[in-house]
Amino acid sequence: MLRTLFRNAEVVLPSEVRRGSVLIEDGKILDIDAGENVQADSVVDCTGLHLLPGVIDDQVHFREPGLTHKEDLSTASHACAAGGVTTFLEMPNTKPPAITVEGVRAKETIAAKKSLVNYGFYIGATPDNAAELAVAKDVPGIKIFIGSSTGNLLVDEQTALERIFAETTLPICAHCEDETTVRANAARLAGTTDVADHSRIRDEKAAMIATKRATDLARRHQHRFHVLHVSTAAELVYLQEANPYLTAEICVHHLLFNVDDYPRLGTRIQMNPSIKTAADNEGLWRALLDGTVQVIATDHAPHTLEEKSQSYPQSPSGLPAVENSLALILNRVVAGECSLPQVVSWMADAPARIWGIVGKGRIAPGYDADLVLVDLEKTATIRDADQHTKSRWSPWDGQSLTGWPVSTWVGGKQVWSGETGFDESHRGAKPLFDHARGGFWATDEGIGIA
């Protein structure tokens, strides 16, 4: 049994930051207040550093299989490790799409061979695969695209949506943009080459209609539902009233970019849902602080810089973010805008609870030793050339941040260090998804252990 001691760390717990020494053994946290004389095979001196549970990014697009010129599970998981992300949940819109249990298992097989960090894969809904969704097990949940998507993943017809919510039991998440509104706006602005029109085509109304529709389905069917990438402050009206079936997330780009950034960044910030206004930035941040929204994620969706550099609307929507998301939010901690326990709640504990990821999201005895050491005094600048994602660019290129991950541990193994690089011998694992624990609102004390 191999033991590692993290000595003299500032340990970030759910409600406080406490100086202590954390002992891990065979991939599990053994003690969060280990004594000075405890025996360990290796000791990590954490003086001046904070120890956080690893980030769980519950919305990524890693492009394998089918689009691996943009990204693959090896390059993406390297980016995760360098960014403090120890578990990712990947969306089904690959080629072929993961719309069957067999398709999900095929992606898990690839990840077991290639991923440095832990992994899970959603099963995708189509207009006619409710029976397959009903028998799916051991996956984080079901993903519905209520709005434009690739192939046959668009589910916009009410009868199909009703059936999915009524006949399945897995938690559901959805991309919420009203397809009819988007198409009408696109027709009105036909011929435009101005990327700023992307936010007029995928406007507030499109988001509002689809989010209202989806949250209404969840309430009526009493089915756990997670609103992905909330982009407008207006949508929050459907989330403000506490409901045991509803949770939501905000992505870093919707917090940090707005339509005023189009002249500077152009298609680099072209996203679905689109970037909105500075007032939306402020409203979304308040929603995190007051608990209306529970999760920060990335919607990491890389394209090559050549693809993104095409003129609008030929340019694809999506941007890479997993290796910078934690630093972007730590920068706000340093600025005094939020606390480290809040960051851990938004980026580790809440996603673990929402998706039933057993033994993850907290630093507590018995939990998995998925950990990230961060230096809140480190200042560094994001550069395209330094990115580990295969796309090798970032919309935050040139931005300096204070507060960075400096080493990442997955299952008790150090998979990345800023000093020594990556441990190429390590592979992550598929976690246990236990939806019987009731999701976010039933697990105030954390998701717990196996």
Side-chain angles (χ1 to χ4, degrees), residues 77-290:
S77 66
H78 281 69
C80 283
V85 177
T86 55
T87 301
F88 66 79
L89 304 183
E90 208 252 359
M91 290 299 167
N93 56 328
T94 45
K95 293 186 176 181
I99 56 176
T100 64
V101 174
E102 182 182 7
V104 172
R105 300 292 174 250
K107 292 171 76 170
E108 291 170 353
T109 298
I110 298 170
K113 297 175 181 177
K114 300 178 73 169
S115 181
L116 289 183
V117 302
N118 304 317
Y119 49 84
F121 298 93
Y122 296 95
I123 186 169
T126 74
D128 54 9
N129 76 335
E132 184 78 6
L133 303 178
V135 299
K137 293 181 175 62
D138 200 23
V139 298
I142 296 165
K143 167 66 181 289
I144 306 176
F145 288 87
I146 308 176
S148 295
S149 183
T150 54
N152 63 340
L153 286 171
L154 173 64
V155 185
D156 197 46
E157 205 278 322
Q158 188 67 22
T159 301
L161 289 169
E162 296 280 358
R163 184 179 180 194
I164 291 167
F165 274 84
E167 298 181 8
T168 67
T169 58
L170 289 171
I172 295 171
C173 60
H175 177 125
C176 295
E177 288 184 290
D178 181 61
E179 183 70 8
T180 299
T181 301
V182 170
R183 289 181 179 178
N185 288 339
R188 178 171 53 85
L189 293 166
T192 183
T193 58
D194 182 359
V195 69
D197 282 334
H198 193 68
S199 292
R200 300 180 182 101
I201 292 170
R202 294 180 173 275
D203 62 3
E204 178 185 281
K205 180 182 177 183
M208 287 280 287
I209 291 172
T211 298
K212 182 180 187 298
R213 184 184 188 189
T215 54
D216 175 68
L217 282 160
R219 289 187 176 95
R220 286 191 291 101
H221 291 284
Q222 298 186 354
H223 197 126
R224 294 213 305 273
F225 178 70
H226 185 64
V227 185
L228 297 171
H229 42 45
V230 176
S231 64
T232 75
E235 289 169 88
L236 300 171
V237 68
Y238 305 121
L239 301 167
Q240 285 170 339
E241 182 179 341
N243 186 288
Y245 302 105
L246 293 177
T247 52
E249 75 183 29
I250 297 167
C251 292
V252 285
H253 49 271
H254 289 128
L255 283 174
L256 301 175
F257 293 130
N258 59 64
V259 292
D260 297 333
D261 294 310
Y262 277 126
R264 178 172 60 93
L265 294 169
T267 56
R268 282 197 178 208
I269 57 169
Q270 179 187 330
M271 289 294 304
N272 299 341
S274 67
I275 302 301
K276 301 301 194 299
T277 69
D280 289 305
N281 294 155
E282 294 172 7
L284 295 175
W285 184 247
R286 287 195 301 271
L288 285 163
L289 294 174
D290 69 20

Side-chain angles (χ1 to χ4, degrees), residues 371-446:
L371 304 165
V372 56
L373 273 173
V374 304
D375 184 349
L376 292 183
E377 296 185 355
K378 178 181 178 181
T379 298
T381 301
I382 299 172
R383 300 291 186 196
D384 283 353
D386 298 334
Q387 302 302 293
H388 295 98
T389 176
K390 185 180 283 189
S391 61
R392 297 299 297 274
W393 66 274
S394 168
W396 292 280
D397 175 58
Q399 182 170 340
S400 292
L401 306 173
T402 301
W404 283 88
V406 295
S407 62
T408 302
W409 300 69
V410 176
K413 303 288 187 181
Q414 187 180 58
V415 298
W416 172 81
S417 163
E419 294 182 354
T420 60
F422 298 97
D423 178 356
E424 300 292 352
S425 70
H426 186 267
R427 292 295 177 267
K430 175 184 171 181
L432 172 63
F433 299 102
D434 186 354
H435 299 300
R437 302 196 184 200
F440 180 82
W441 299 108
T443 52
D444 288 347
E445 299 302 315

